[in-house]
Amino acid sequence: MKKLLLLSVMLLIALGLTGCGNETNKAQETDKVKLGIIQIVEHPSLDATRQGFLDLLKEQGYAEGEKLTVDYQNAQGDQGNLQTIARKFVQERSDLVLAIATPSAMMMANESSDIPILITAVTDPISAKLVKSAEKPDTNVTGTTDMNPVKDQLKLIQEIVPNAKKVGIIYNASEINSQIQVDVADQAAPELGLQLKKVTVNASSEVMQAAQSLTNQVDAIYLPTDNMVISSIAAVLKVAEDNKIPVITGEVSSVENGALATIGIDYYQLGRTTGEMALRILSGEKPQDMAIQSQSGTDLVLNLEAAARMGVTIPESVKAKAKKVIE
């Protein structure tokens, strides 16, 4: 009888320890931050922003698979996919969401008013109705803006091609971020003595045709940070090279991938800045009280190989100001 009693006690202890182990494992899983990442489309700038964000978190102790679980979802440019992804993050109760680019941010904010949402690569959070003000968002959304120095980029066209008078712009008018940049260009062009020829696209398949429509009509092509167009930039560059038209862009990665030049921001660093804001939220700060951040300063980047393909000679005075020259 004593032996039977002793065995029963030992069995209960073992079961208790096993239960504690399970509870400990559950607690460890619960301790991990559930991060959802929603991205409108793949292209180098947006990818660089995401990588900068994750690298910063890893350096500060939030490595994926350890203190962080990451659910990265790409909508491949489809609004229906965006909505499905956003609803998935809401249903699964993500602790934090990183929304990359304006369409992603708008969709995620439309689906949740309580999950902390960090935005990045968003041109104008106020016009997109994501925040009430840049200084005090007063919503569950905060993050970083990638508003470009559009006027300076148009000036750069004149510095590289002094005789340029007509500039073509290709963009998707349904992207608020693109329309904002085109509006700025519209205001700046008359001051600079430039005429703009604007061509809109509704799908990536239309980008090459849009570029072809500008041949023999413009002295240069300007591409804002438009997600649809930049994801299909190879089509624009082919037309530009075949017709010797210089292409100036709104961001650095496009120059690294074959465009002529830009005065733009570093998207990897923008992602890191957003990562720093994520740490503040994880430490208890509220998005509604955190001001929208932007990168201080811009970089002039030139691609001499692209210049040769487009039949352009970049003045030495411009080269001297460049932070990075691709040869």
Side-chain angles (χ1 to χ4, degrees), residues 11-31:
L11 179 60
L12 287 171
I13 292 173
L15 289 172
L17 289 174
T18 302
C20 289
N22 288 336
E23 290 301 317
T24 300
N25 290 336
K26 288 179 182 177
Q28 288 174 344
E29 289 176 5
T30 304
D31 285 345

Side-chain angles (χ1 to χ4, degrees), residues 211-212 214-216 218-219 221 236-246 309-311:
Q212 289 170 337
L214 294 172
T215 60
N216 301 318
V218 299
D219 304 307
I221 293 175
V236 179
L237 296 178
K238 184 179 188 313
V239 173
E241 291 169 8
D242 289 346
N243 293 275
K244 305 303 179 188
I245 304 172
R309 292 192 296 269
M310 295 172 188

Side-chain angles (χ1 to χ4, degrees), residues 50-119:
R50 184 181 75 248
Q51 193 60 53
F53 180 86
L54 292 173
D55 285 352
L56 187 285
L57 289 184
K58 182 177 180 180
E59 291 166 13
Q60 298 301 317
Y62 287 89
E64 184 175 356
E66 296 176 12
K67 290 182 67 176
L68 186 71
T69 61
V70 179
D71 185 357
Y72 165 61
Q73 299 287 329
N74 192 297
Q76 302 300 330
D78 184 274
Q79 287 290 322
N81 290 343
L82 270 184
Q83 186 174 59
T84 299
I85 295 165
R87 288 180 176 176
K88 175 180 185 288
F89 289 161
V90 172
Q91 292 168 357
E92 296 179 356
R93 300 303 304 166
S94 296
D95 297 315
L96 183 68
V97 171
L98 174 67
I100 305 176
T102 304
S104 306
M106 292 176 67
M107 185 63 74
M108 193 65 227
N110 187 58
E111 293 296 329
S112 176
S113 59
D114 57 352
I115 296 174
I117 300 171
L118 277 165
I119 61 173

Side-chain angles (χ1 to χ4, degrees), residues 128-302:
K129 298 182 180 180
L130 295 166
V131 300
K132 294 182 180 178
S133 77
E135 294 75 23
K136 186 176 173 58
D138 206 23
T139 67
N140 61 318
V141 178
T142 189
T144 56
T145 172
D146 66 346
M147 184 62 193
N148 281 312
V150 175
K151 186 175 182 178
D152 289 341
Q153 291 166 349
L154 293 178
K155 284 181 180 178
L156 180 61
I157 293 175
Q158 294 180 310
E159 290 185 57
I160 295 175
V161 188
N163 296 324
K165 296 297 181 185
K166 298 179 180 180
V167 176
I169 300 182
I170 306 172
Y171 69 105
N172 176 9
S174 67
E175 287 191 29
I176 292 177
N177 50 296
S178 301
Q179 188 61 61
I180 290 168
Q181 293 171 79
V182 173
D183 289 344
V184 174
D186 275 332
Q187 293 177 356
E191 298 176 30
L192 301 173
L194 294 173
Q195 298 176 32
L196 301 182
K197 182 172 179 56
K198 296 173 285 186
V199 184
T200 61
V201 295
N202 297 305
S204 298
S205 59
E206 299 174 6
V207 172
M208 177 170 279
Q209 184 178 354
Q212 289 170 337
S213 74
L214 294 172
T215 60
N216 301 318
Q217 295 195 56
V218 299
D219 304 307
I221 293 175
Y222 171 66
L223 302 180
T225 55
D226 182 289
N227 297 297
M228 181 178 290
V229 175
I230 297 302
S231 66
S232 302
I233 193 172
V236 179
L237 296 178
K238 184 179 188 313
V239 173
E241 291 169 8
D242 289 346
N243 293 275
K244 305 303 179 188
I245 304 172
V247 178
I248 307 297
T249 64
E251 40 80 43
V252 173
S253 66
S254 291
V255 179
E256 295 172 339
N257 286 294
L260 178 63
T262 192
I263 297 174
I265 64 175
D266 184 326
Y267 276 79
Y268 178 80
Q269 291 301 323
L270 192 70
R272 291 182 65 86
T273 299
T274 317
E276 291 170 354
M277 298 181 76
L279 291 176
R280 291 167 58 190
I281 290 175
L282 294 174
S283 295
E285 289 192 50
K286 303 297 183 184
Q288 53 263 40
D289 300 322
M290 295 170 60
I292 297 292
Q293 302 292 311
S294 59
Q295 182 179 320
S296 59
T298 52
D299 298 330
L300 170 58
V301 180
L302 305 172

